Amino acid sequence: LGSDLIDKIGIYDRNENRLRRWEYELNQVRKAFSQEEYPKVVPISKDDLFDCDVFIFCASKGVPPVGSNIKDVRMIQFESNSEIIKEYARLARSSNFKGIFAVVSDPVDLLCKVAFLESNKDIDGNMDFKGLASNQIIGYGLGVMYGRACFYAEMSEDTLHFLEEGRIFGPHGEGLIVANSIKDYDEDISDYLTEKTLSANKVIRSFGFKPYVAPSL
């Protein structure tokens, strides 16, 4: 996607072997029997991270194992991932970065807020708003929730209209609102789809797996 516009994709990782792995793996992704060229994937240094148009934060310290008695997995991730994103938000500030700062790691909405606040603090911790603008920071959580809502909407003729008329609002997690239709809103159907969407990841965990395949794709 966007191969006609994207010059190259730089990847950075603190682990040298992981960095080399991604360089080798991703440059071997090809369309069979096609001359179409994909953007070159190149390993970059930390100093070069913000020499780009779009920075995508995918780092994660870890996801709690399946079976752990944790009610909100996202909040456990927030504790560790917020410490990581702070570092890169400050680096974006010092680099005077003017591109898009995209957040993919969970919890998306909360990490976006951390990126905004931390990038806009001076060395003494005072807000000076000389960092990332709010419209530079984009979270990619609602696409995941929309996909889950569509999955459940397809299970019944009564909810199928969501695919054409439905919308998702709010954070990626508690507080999410799935509206069944912007033409003919129904609170009961919307509440049903909201509950199903919010608990979708727990269903995958009940099978014994971490729910990351659909979200990552």
Side-chain angles (χ1 to χ4, degrees):
L1 292 175
S3 59
D4 56 331
L5 299 172
I6 299 170
D7 176 43
K8 60 184 175 183
I9 299 170
I11 292 199
Y12 168 74
D13 195 290
R14 293 172 176 175
N15 183 303
E16 181 68 26
N17 283 330
R18 273 203 298 260
L19 193 57
R20 295 187 69 192
R21 174 210 176 180
W22 288 119
E23 177 189 10
Y24 276 67
E25 292 267 35
L26 295 179
N27 283 311
Q28 292 174 28
V29 174
R30 307 282 165 135
K31 185 183 290 184
F33 311 110
S34 171
Q35 298 303 310
E36 182 182 353
E37 289 187 29
Y38 289 173
K40 192 75 174 173
V41 177
V42 295
I44 58 175
S45 69
K46 189 175 181 180
D47 292 338
D48 295 327
L49 261 178
F50 289 96
D51 181 18
C52 63
D53 298 297
V54 181
F55 168 82
I56 306 172
F57 182 83
C58 298
S60 181
K61 195 169 183 180
V63 180
V66 172
S68 54
N69 294 319
I70 297 171
K71 286 189 176 180
D72 195 339
V73 172
R74 296 170 68 251
M75 294 315 296
I76 297 299
Q77 290 176 278
F78 179 60
E79 291 177 18
S80 53
N81 290 348
S82 61
E83 290 302 314
I84 302 174
I85 204 169
K86 283 179 185 178
E87 179 182 344
Y88 297 103
R90 291 166 183 159
L91 188 58
R93 172 193 173 99
S94 64
S95 302
N96 196 30
F97 182 59
K98 298 302 181 187
I100 295 298
F101 190 106
V103 181
V104 176
S105 302
D106 266 340
V108 170
D109 43 320
L110 298 178
L111 292 179
C112 284
K113 182 179 179 181
V114 171
F116 175 73
L117 293 176
E118 292 299 322
S119 76
N120 283 288
K121 292 178 182 177
D122 62 21
I123 56 174
D124 297 318
N126 301 310
M127 295 293 291
D128 61 6
F129 298 100
K130 293 182 179 179
L132 295 166
S134 59
N135 63 338
Q136 284 181 262
I137 305 170
I138 301 178
Y140 286 87
L142 289 185
V144 174
M145 303 310 261
Y146 178 74
R148 289 171 175 168
C150 288
F151 172 77
Y152 285 105
E154 288 175 330
M155 290 184 172
S156 169
E157 288 290 334
D158 295 333
T159 53
L160 200 57
H161 60 272
F162 173 82
L163 302 181
E164 295 291 332
E165 303 171 16
R167 296 291 188 275
I168 299 275
F169 302 99
H172 175 58
E174 195 66 35
L176 177 83
I177 296 172
V178 179
N180 73 301
S181 171
I182 56 171
K183 294 180 180 179
D184 185 21
Y185 179 75
D186 184 291
E187 189 165 3
D188 289 337
I189 295 177
S190 296
D191 287 348
Y192 167 78
L193 289 174
T194 298
E195 190 277 326
K196 284 293 188 182
T197 301
L198 282 172
S199 60
N201 59 341
K202 295 176 184 176
V203 175
I204 301 297
R205 281 182 165 265
S206 73
F207 303 152
F209 299 96
K210 294 178 183 178
Y212 65 85
V213 176
S216 64
L217 292 173

